[in-house]
Amino acid sequence: SAVISQKPSRDICQRGTSLTIQCQVDSQVTMMFWYRQQPGQSLTLIATANQGSEATYESGFVIDKFPISRPNLTFSTLTVSNMSPEDSSIYLCSVEIVRVGGRTYEQYFGPGTRLTVT
Amino acid sequence: KQEVTQIPAALSVPEGENLVLNCSFTDSAIYNLQWFRQDPGKGLTSLLLIQSSQREQTSGRLNASLDKSSGRSTLYIAASQPGDSATYLCAPYSGYALNFGKGTSLLVTP
């Protein structure tokens, strides 16, 4: 398993500003993911962050708006840039653990960052 | 693209009832499927993982089944308790990332 922490747990920000969310995991992992959960909706994958390479963004998400860093195998950051009220969401990071045998992929999630943009 | 549907969208039951949550997915080529629980405004807690070769998996009062060929999974909760109130999400894994449905919002009343 993996224990994941996120900072901040919540924030209220003004439109036009940026917020950087930190994700820390207690073990070294290759794959880390960032998701967004808009109010009343399910989770949408923003990007995959692998250490040593550029993040891979899903359709509808761009690096200028959501820059991601992955400096080592236990840490990642997601920045929400030039925020608008539509960015109000819960942002979650997750990690993938490949079980022994290499055929089972289990994901663990952080507690989330609740962002409100006014 | 994997589409995941969960039925019912919401469920309210009295304490003690056994209940079944349903999940269907369109692409049966999955490695495994996870069931998660999400409390309001919080992150996801992994409840069970079923490998594609398995038919079911049990943890305490929870039992999850998988019929990969038909693209269906069910989560059975025995003797429900108020503390089980949460949103339950199923997420099949097809080799790239998890795909989520909208979940089933469960309320267990005392």
Side-chain angles (χ1 to χ4, degrees):
Chain A
S1 65
V3 178
I4 303 166
S5 60
Q6 284 185 235
K7 290 182 182 179
S9 58
R10 57 175 59 220
D11 207 342
I12 300 173
C13 302
Q14 292 189 339
R15 70 170 67 215
T17 63
S18 298
L19 176 72
T20 296
I21 302 168
Q22 299 179 4
C23 178
Q24 178 79 51
V25 62
D26 68 343
S27 58
Q28 294 183 338
V29 294
T30 301
M31 302 283 283
M32 294 183 78
F33 304 87
W34 287 97
Y35 288 85
R36 180 176 75 181
Q37 187 176 31
Q38 295 177 300
Q41 301 299 312
S42 192
L43 280 75
T44 301
L45 180 65
I46 297 171
T48 303
N50 294 335
Q51 196 268 339
S53 62
E54 295 290 324
T56 302
Y57 289 83
E58 295 300 297
S59 176
F61 297 95
V62 295
I63 187 171
D64 289 345
K65 175 68 174 177
F66 298 101
I68 288 171
S69 77
R70 182 77 199 275
N72 57 52
L73 292 173
T74 63
F75 187 78
S76 179
T77 66
L78 169 76
T79 298
V80 186
S81 303
N82 188 24
M83 289 185 284
S84 67
E86 292 71 35
D87 294 320
S88 297
S89 298
I90 299 174
Y91 291 85
L92 300 113
C93 73
S94 73
V95 302
E96 179 181 271
I97 304 292
V98 182
R99 289 188 180 177
V100 173
R103 287 192 160 193
T104 301
Y105 305 84
E106 188 163 15
Q107 280 200 21
Y108 295 88
F109 282 78
T113 295
R114 190 171 199 139
L115 171 62
T116 302
V117 183
T118 60
Chain B
K1 183 182 183 292
Q2 180 77 275
E3 301 288 339
V4 181
T5 304
Q6 291 188 244
I7 296 172
L11 184 62
S12 180
V13 300
E15 181 177 8
E17 279 203 5
N18 302 325
L19 50 98
V20 176
L21 309 182
N22 298 291
C23 170
S24 62
F25 47 95
T26 54
D27 183 358
S28 62
I30 64 171
Y31 286 87
N32 46 248
L33 182 145
Q34 280 183 264
W35 280 92
F36 293 92
R37 167 189 173 134
Q38 185 176 30
D39 292 287
K42 304 294 185 182
L44 276 64
T45 300
S46 182
L47 298 173
L48 287 164
L49 179 147
I50 312 179
Q51 297 174 354
S52 62
S53 59
Q54 294 178 315
R55 296 286 292 183
E56 64 178 58
Q57 190 68 254
T58 298
S59 176
R61 294 183 293 109
L62 305 179
N63 176 277
S65 68
L66 175 65
D67 184 344
K68 195 179 91 161
S69 61
S70 66
R72 290 185 294 184
S73 179
T74 60
L75 180 66
Y76 177 82
I77 303 177
S80 58
Q81 303 171 355
D84 295 330
S85 299
T87 297
Y88 290 81
L89 297 158
C90 83
Y93 177 77
S94 304
Y96 176 58
L98 291 176
N99 296 276
F100 287 89
K102 292 186 176 182
T104 293
S105 178
L106 172 65
L107 176 64
V108 182
T109 56

